[in-house]
Amino acid sequence: MSRAAGYDAEDAAATFLAQQGYEVIARNYTVRGAEIDIIARDGGVYAFVEVKFRRSFRYGMPREAVTVAKRRRICMAALRWLQENSLPDVPVRFDVVEQTPQGMTLLRAAFEYTP
């Protein structure tokens, strides 16, 4: 997938999250080789959202691409973002938005913190 297609998928996911009541705070937060696609607030919870897009199921469901290594990088970046924003003790959640030819699905609490 091209980077432009990735940005389009993230744009669509941000719109979708807003429709679900999320307040998008930041996008494409990057630190030391790790990236968080979308950081949003869902009520009193800060959600760190990974966006995965697939044009077909040839390589499995998009959520399957969020490997343990990817989870670790997202969690490390989330901790850094929380520190930078002086939010050490707020409730957090790790969500995944997966996009397929059938539509978009929000997986709330898709994974737990992975050190």
Side-chain angles (χ1 to χ4, degrees), residues 22 26 54 59:
Y22 284 56
R54 296 288 182 268
Y59 299 106

Side-chain angles (χ1 to χ4, degrees), residues 50 66 103:
E50 177 68 9
V66 185

